[in-house]
Amino acid sequence: MLLSTRGLSKTFAGLHAVEAVDLNIPEGEIRALIGPNGAGKTTLVGMISGRIAPSSGRVFFDGEDITRLPAHRRIRLGMAYTFQITSVFAGLSVAENVSLAARRRLRGKALQAEVDAALTRVGLQDRRTQDARDLAYGHQRLLEIAMGIVQRPRLLILDEPTQGLAEGEIAEFVNLVRDVSDRTTILLIEHNMRVVMDLAQRITVLSAGAVLAEGTPAEIHANADVQAAYLGRGSDAEAG
Amino acid sequence: MELGPYLVLATLEGAITAAVLALTAVGLSLVFGVMRVVNIAHGEFFMLGAVLAWWIAQSVAGHPAIGFALALIFAPLLVGALAVAADMTILKRLNYDPERTIVATIGLLYIIQQLTLMGYGPDARPVEAPFNTRLAIPWFERGAEGWQMIWPWGLGTTTYKLAVIGAAAMILCAVWALMTRSRIGLVMRATQADREMALAFGIPVERVYALVFGFGAALAALAAVLIVPIQQAHYLMGGDPLLLSFIVVIIGGLGSLPGTVLAAVLIGLSDGIISVFFSPTLAKIIATLLVALVLVFRPQGLFGGRRT
Amino acid sequence: MRAYAIHAGLLAILLALHFTLPAYHHGNLARVMVLASYAMGYNLLFGYTGLLSLGHALFFAAGMYGMGLGIQHLGLSPAPALLLGLASGAVVSGLLAALALRTSGVAFMIVTLMFAQAGYLTVLYFGEVTRGDEGFVIQQAQRVLWGVDLSAEGNRYIAALLLFGTCLMVSLWLVRSAFGRVLVAIRENEDRVRMLGYDVFAHKLAAMMISGGMAALAGAAYGLLFGYVGATFASVQYSIFPLLWVLLGGAGTVLGPFIGTLFMFYLIDLGSDLTTAYMLIAGVALVLLTLFAPQGVMGEVRRRFWRELP
């Protein structure tokens, strides 16, 4: 298992945001994490990436207990995290944004080449000198993803990456993720069910802080509990 | 003088410091609480209150009480008006950005201080108290014939000093009533709790801010008018009240009124008593370090509850 | 390379001025260069890392007193005294950083202000050693570094230029290095930097120690070159000055601190001819800068003419 959690829980002022979640993601998988708003997805991912301290439970990365490691140490072990709310360096150029992400492991010409490759991959190469704040929203999301993949992480956590993207951009994104996934394990938090069904090998459904179901897209689609708690309530495309 | 009477005296003097400090610090605390602005120029508003009190008092003929009464009314009003003007011309244009407003109020500090130096000069000048009867305080001592009452030399206070303590207590109660019972207090608290929500409910937030900034400055000026018959007015007198108010506001919990008053009483009283044992410089060193450490390790203040 | 050329050009001009300036301005410029080194140290923390300290006088004074007390009480010669100054600055800034960096924003400003105030009061409290407000003079005989008499006008200018040039080139190299770019990124978005795997605290700590060290070196040099050590240099005013200089010249630019110090020095110099209330100029400048030109002079240049200006 590349990533696993044991009994991971978080209480905010007596409320159980996440309760006793056991998660097992093997190397190479694309795992989707879905659930209605307020189900605790972002809190769970926050505990995995080290942004939020858990109330109890443990996190393991590649067999190592990382529960007590600060966020930056986890990232160095090979996690990458893209923010749900776009969080690029607004005052810096597009290329510098990606360079910052890559500079931890590369310098000089190799850095340059890697940054160019990542920018080309997300289609931002011709905007490399612009300030990130001048990019359109969809392009800022792509920049986030470029900053994620340029780190060559073993686990890439994508927190609602398609939010606010146009139809065409979403299709591009799906291709991109599939392309990256041959060497990177992916944990995808996503509202757009078409993207989830398209990409995920397995899906974990979170509801009220606990795991409601887990299985292949087909199994989840057929799961009565999930339909009752989640899918059945809203439209297929924009559940939640 | 023996230690016992000395401590009584120190406590009395400390109570005056506490009274004046509470008024000044509540002004600072209100501004920080409602506007999230750290006003470094607060001490200069205090100084301006004292200097204006001198100016008003010396330009009125007749009994000193008349001049003092006029100063008590007009010095805070003038200082408040100046602060409102500063808010509208400077702070509002900075969008109340916390860091930039600090830099701007540092600038304001020098502007007020140096203009006072140019206009008023470098001298310290007294204001006559409206009434000032000396009151001796008795002390009990066991002599040859058992307990007896004595009147140690130097142990005493004045009616004016007691009046300062009383007046400060009354003003604080009035501020408390204003904040909790009146409509304007409700508006201020609503703005403090959630600026966006207040805007949505049609509260003129910018006018509330200007008012609060003026009110906070007026409180500092009022405290200065009260103290100026005891201390003299001087263009550099704003430094200590600023530092002490900071200490009080931080220890009392940023933006919490009861905490601020409690801390003012504690700091004022201990300032009087500590200076019996330590040099004032050492007392100040300890106090500044204490404040810094409180901010680092307990930012909600010693008395403040955890803010959510 | 173009960036290095421009900055080296400034140093060449300053060297040429050494031979041409009249005595009065020659002396002023030596002072400006030392103070600008202080401002450059401040700028590394404020302009590049985004940490607004109101307590840098503590570091400036740590350097000055480390040097001065070393000469006065330990009988050191200038070179080890300067090193002692630098070391005191690094230690003091490291300690303050370890505490103050637990806070951020407004709390960081107040904490640094309070510690610097405590430092100033400490200088006064130990008046027997430090001579308090009055300060002490470093005699000409004690200011001979490797056979060069630093109290002589010409030597002093060259020494100031050497210090300034070193600080300028170190700043330039630092802000263009990988380390410097992480500092800028911290200024822009601290949380994101952490989630890219950088140790934000360690970077800030290093930035604060380099900044404090540079300020201390400038303080030590100031005391040595101009022969006087006094408590004024530890007061709040000397924490506000570098902020003012950097704001005026342009925060987050390598040349900004020099430009700001030069302008403000002459402005206050002119002002103090007219009135004793010369700090009025500083106050007005602070308000006007925050209101109308938060970018400063070189910030404007960068915005309008040359985006790559370091």
Side-chain angles (χ1 to χ4, degrees):
Chain A
M1 289 298 141
L2 183 66
L3 177 81
S4 40
T5 67
R6 289 289 169 269
L8 206 56
S9 308
K10 180 71 189 179
T11 3
F12 290 114
L15 281 167
H16 294 282
V18 172
E19 214 177 348
V21 169
D22 292 342
L23 208 60
N24 291 302
I25 304 180
E27 187 120 39
E29 187 173 288
I30 301 180
R31 172 71 62 93
L33 184 63
I34 65 171
N37 274 335
K41 300 180 301 272
T42 295
T43 308
L44 176 61
V45 172
M47 288 190 287
I48 291 170
S49 63
R51 285 161 56 79
I52 303 172
S55 306
S56 63
R58 318 216 63 86
V59 184
F60 298 88
F61 186 71
D62 200 17
E64 191 186 336
D65 186 343
I66 58 164
T67 317
R68 300 204 158 274
L69 285 189
H72 69 269
R73 297 275 301 277
R74 301 186 191 199
I75 304 295
R76 279 189 215 171
L77 286 179
M79 279 189 193
Y81 179 86
T82 70
F83 284 59
Q84 178 182 10
I85 298 158
T86 304
S87 180
V88 292
F89 301 104
L92 304 181
S93 73
V94 168
E96 178 62 13
N97 268 275
V98 181
S99 303
L100 275 163
R103 213 178 270 128
R104 227 171 8 86
R105 55 183 189 92
L106 295 170
R107 291 285 155 86
K109 285 222 166 67
L111 172 76
Q112 203 66 2
E114 193 83 342
V115 169
D116 285 346
L119 283 175
T120 309
R121 207 146 175 195
V122 298
L124 288 177
Q125 178 65 307
D126 51 343
R127 297 178 191 276
R128 51 178 298 135
T129 57
Q130 282 183 18
D131 276 357
R133 71 160 62 89
D134 298 336
L135 291 183
Y137 180 78
H139 285 145
Q140 290 191 6
R141 303 287 323 168
L142 291 174
L143 177 58
E144 274 272 359
I145 293 161
M147 290 165 75
I149 59 179
V150 82
Q151 297 177 60
R152 298 247 179 143
R154 298 177 65 194
L155 173 67
L156 177 59
I157 302 172
L158 298 163
D159 197 349
E160 309 216 359
T162 65
Q163 204 178 44
L165 291 191
E167 276 302 310
E169 290 170 324
I170 289 179
E172 285 285 316
F173 167 78
V174 169
N175 284 334
L176 188 65
V177 171
R178 208 172 270 138
D179 194 24
V180 180
S181 70
D182 53 10
R183 58 167 191 234
T184 300
T185 310
I186 289 170
L187 176 57
L188 173 71
I189 302 172
E190 187 53 65
H191 270 154
N192 187 326
M193 289 311 285
R194 269 221 327 266
V195 173
V196 171
M197 291 301 170
D198 241 17
L199 277 174
Q201 287 151 4
R202 287 181 76 81
I203 300 176
T204 302
V205 186
L206 214 58
S207 176
V211 175
L212 181 72
E214 194 176 299
T216 62
E219 287 166 2
I220 294 299
H221 201 68
N223 187 308
D225 283 345
V226 175
Q227 284 188 353
Y230 181 46
L231 297 177
R233 234 184 27 196
S235 72
D236 258 13
E238 270 299 323
Chain B
M1 211 186 315
E2 285 174 56
L3 189 61
Y6 206 107
L7 278 181
V8 172
L9 197 64
T11 311
L12 255 175
E13 295 295 317
I16 296 165
T17 311
V20 174
L21 183 54
L23 284 182
T24 317
V26 162
L28 189 69
S29 176
L30 264 179
V31 168
F32 180 80
V34 176
M35 305 166 68
R36 298 276 125 189
V37 163
V38 178
N39 179 17
I40 305 277
H42 195 64
E44 304 314 307
F45 290 135
F46 179 93
M47 178 275 287
L48 216 48
V51 168
L52 283 175
W54 172 84
W55 183 68
I56 294 171
Q58 59 89 40
S59 54
V60 178
H63 193 273
I66 303 172
F68 184 79
L70 288 176
L72 207 51
I73 298 168
F74 287 107
L77 280 180
L78 285 172
V79 172
L82 181 78
V84 168
D87 174 84
M88 295 198 304
T89 50
I90 302 172
L91 302 187
K92 192 173 107 181
R93 304 187 58 150
L94 295 177
N95 250 329
Y96 301 100
D97 173 85
E99 297 198 358
R100 289 173 71 198
T101 48
I102 290 190
V103 177
T105 58
I106 292 173
L108 204 56
L109 176 157
Y110 284 120
I111 293 176
I112 296 175
Q113 184 193 75
Q114 300 287 308
L115 284 178
T116 309
L117 172 63
M118 290 168 84
Y120 170 84
D123 305 322
R125 298 191 174 115
V127 171
E128 203 174 326
F131 46 86
N132 212 4
T133 316
R134 223 190 119 66
L135 300 171
I137 300 173
W139 186 254
F140 298 92
E141 202 174 63
R142 205 211 294 256
E145 293 127 52
W147 286 98
Q148 59 182 94
M149 193 164 85
I150 57 167
W151 302 86
W153 188 83
L155 180 58
T157 184
T158 65
T159 46
Y160 182 72
K161 287 185 176 177
L162 294 181
V164 168
I165 300 173
M170 271 168 51
I171 296 165
L172 286 172
C173 290
V175 172
W176 178 247
L178 183 79
M179 288 306 287
T180 53
R181 301 268 184 272
S182 75
R183 205 186 119 67
I184 184 78
L186 179 72
V187 167
M188 284 189 203
R189 279 182 293 135
T191 312
Q192 168 163 10
D194 191 336
R195 179 174 196 259
E196 302 307 316
M197 196 62 100
L199 268 175
F201 274 99
I203 291 175
V205 167
E206 285 189 346
R207 251 185 289 166
V208 173
Y209 277 13
L211 192 74
V212 167
F213 199 67
F215 186 54
L219 276 175
L222 190 58
V225 179
L226 286 176
I227 200 70
V228 81
I230 302 173
Q231 285 171 3
Q232 300 186 336
H234 184 253
Y235 84 103
L236 286 177
M237 74 190 293
D240 276 357
L242 175 69
L243 181 64
L244 284 172
S245 303
F246 258 103
I247 295 174
V248 163
V249 170
I250 289 165
I251 288 183
L254 293 166
S256 136
L257 283 193
T260 304
V261 174
L262 191 62
V265 172
L266 193 79
I267 298 281
L269 283 179
S270 56
D271 189 55
I273 294 166
I274 287 173
S275 57
V276 175
F277 301 104
F278 299 110
S279 82
T281 309
L282 186 59
K284 264 195 221 164
I285 294 177
I286 295 171
T288 36
L289 286 180
L290 178 71
V291 169
L293 293 176
V294 166
L295 260 183
V296 170
F297 293 105
R298 223 188 124 78
Q300 72 272 32
L302 290 182
F303 307 139
R306 195 162 278 282
R307 298 170 83 89
T308 44
Chain C
M1 271 306 95
R2 196 169 142 203
Y4 280 99
I6 285 180
H7 292 78
L10 172 67
L11 296 180
I13 293 173
L14 287 170
L15 182 64
L17 286 174
H18 170 55
F19 301 104
T20 52
L21 271 187
Y24 177 69
H25 296 288
H26 187 262
N28 277 352
L29 200 54
R31 252 173 231 275
V32 167
M33 284 190 288
V34 179
L35 293 174
S37 307
Y38 177 25
M40 279 189 280
Y42 185 83
N43 190 31
L44 284 178
L45 194 66
F46 168 58
Y48 287 98
T49 320
L51 289 166
L52 204 166
S53 147
L54 291 178
H56 258 53
L58 185 64
F59 311 143
F60 189 73
M64 185 179 261
Y65 277 96
M67 181 281 304
L69 295 178
I71 287 184
Q72 203 77 350
H73 294 277
L74 306 177
L76 294 182
S77 58
L82 279 175
L83 276 182
L84 184 62
L86 177 63
S88 338
V91 169
V92 170
S93 57
L95 287 176
L96 179 56
L99 287 169
L101 288 177
R102 297 168 60 110
T103 64
S104 60
V106 169
F108 181 81
M109 298 165 77
I110 305 294
V111 167
T112 48
L113 179 70
M114 289 292 169
F115 271 105
Q117 185 66 13
Y120 169 64
L121 292 168
T122 307
V123 170
L124 294 185
Y125 185 70
F126 292 103
E128 283 175 23
V129 183
T130 63
R131 315 289 312 146
D133 258 337
E134 209 179 287
F136 56 90
V137 170
I138 297 171
Q139 301 301 333
Q140 188 182 345
Q142 296 166 315
R143 288 157 65 192
V144 181
L145 177 66
W146 297 317
V148 179
D149 180 3
L150 291 178
S151 66
E153 289 275 340
N155 295 342
R156 185 151 78 189
Y157 188 96
I158 296 297
L161 180 58
L162 274 176
L163 172 77
F164 175 74
T166 310
C167 292
L168 188 78
M169 286 305 168
V170 166
S171 292
L172 184 59
W173 169 73
L174 209 60
V175 302
R176 291 159 65 93
S177 71
F179 171 75
R181 285 165 192 265
V182 175
L183 296 188
V184 172
I186 289 175
R187 179 189 75 196
E188 294 288 316
N189 187 344
E190 182 175 327
D191 199 26
R192 192 64 176 107
V193 174
R194 187 171 295 119
M195 296 315 282
L196 289 178
Y198 294 102
D199 188 340
V200 169
F201 181 83
H203 276 82
K204 283 182 176 177
L205 183 78
M208 199 154 163
M209 286 181 71
I210 296 171
S211 166
M214 205 178 271
L217 190 62
Y222 198 88
L224 192 65
L225 292 182
F226 301 101
Y228 171 72
V229 174
T232 327
F233 296 107
S235 68
V236 182
Q237 222 175 73
Y238 269 81
S239 292
I240 305 300
F241 276 142
L243 169 65
L244 179 59
W245 296 328
V246 167
L247 275 177
L248 175 60
T253 63
V254 174
L255 287 175
F258 174 72
I259 305 282
T261 312
L262 185 69
F263 270 85
M264 197 44 71
F265 187 91
Y266 271 98
L267 214 54
I268 286 184
D269 189 55
L270 291 177
S272 52
D273 287 347
L274 304 175
T275 164
T276 49
Y278 62 88
M279 281 301 287
L280 179 63
I281 298 166
V284 172
L286 274 177
V287 172
L288 291 181
L289 281 169
T290 29
L291 274 179
F292 301 111
Q295 310 262 352
V297 176
M298 294 314 283
E300 274 308 298
V301 172
R302 178 190 281 165
R303 197 171 65 85
R304 282 164 197 250
F305 304 112
W306 190 22
R307 278 195 55 207
E308 301 301 315
L309 181 77

